[in-house]
Amino acid sequence: MDQFMERAIELAGENVKNGGQPFGAVLVKNNNLVSEGVNELHKRFDVTAHAEIMAMRKAQKMMHTHFLSGYTMYASGEPCPMCLTAMYFAGVDTVYYCASVEEAAEAGLEKSKQIYADLKKDREERDMEMVQIPLNDGKTNPLELWKNR
């Protein structure tokens, strides 16, 4: 097994021993470990404090950038939809993972599997109601401001 994946799994195991969920992640560039993270929901009371996002936050803060093109993520578990989306936005090139969302669900961590299934549905059929409120006439349109900057 790859040294970076071994480290992600080690982090996940340590996190369970410390009261957290079994998720660890390592962010790598040019075969060098840049940052790592564990799931910290239990410490931060923050649903976005997942291992992959924590590793990305550390790297982005350290380098003063939000772009992570050329980076590889090693994760003990298949990234949830939120983490995967964050990696897309940041430009991470490759993600390696061990446990699938199906395996996580079998262990009692089913939310990622449920969300992936829900996102396949049409907007109107999803579990979370989403309602668009069109911008009123006469109001400043932020998208127009962005296009005209």
Side-chain angles (χ1 to χ4, degrees), residues 82-145:
M82 175 184 65
C83 292
L84 183 63
T85 301
M87 288 185 273
Y88 268 108
F89 274 111
V92 171
D93 292 347
T94 306
V95 179
Y96 295 101
Y97 64 92
C98 276
S100 68
V101 294
E102 291 80 14
E103 291 169 309
E106 289 172 12
L109 299 162
E110 66 282 331
K111 198 64 171 176
S112 290
K113 182 179 175 186
Q114 292 170 348
I115 294 170
Y116 272 120
D118 203 48
L119 289 173
K120 291 179 182 177
K121 299 174 186 174
D122 289 336
R123 216 178 271 132
E124 304 79 36
E125 296 171 4
R126 292 184 188 152
D127 292 340
M128 181 185 295
E129 184 178 12
M130 293 179 60
V131 180
Q132 182 179 16
I133 300 174
L135 187 64
N136 292 333
D137 291 335
K139 299 289 183 189
T140 301
N141 184 329
L143 292 176
E144 287 299 321
L145 290 173

Side-chain angles (χ1 to χ4, degrees), residues 28-76:
V28 174
K29 185 167 186 178
N30 298 326
N31 211 33
N32 292 307
L33 191 151
V34 176
S35 63
E36 51 189 39
V38 296
N39 187 297
E40 295 187 16
L41 284 90
H42 64 295
K43 291 181 181 177
R44 296 178 178 263
F45 305 102
D46 175 359
V47 296
T48 69
H50 288 200
E52 299 91 336
I53 289 179
M54 298 306 291
M56 289 177 21
R57 284 177 180 162
K58 290 175 188 174
Q60 291 170 323
K61 185 175 182 179
M62 180 174 47
M63 296 177 294
H64 297 104
T65 185
H66 57 273
F67 295 112
L68 297 174
S69 178
Y71 287 75
T72 301
M73 183 69 75
Y74 291 82
S76 63

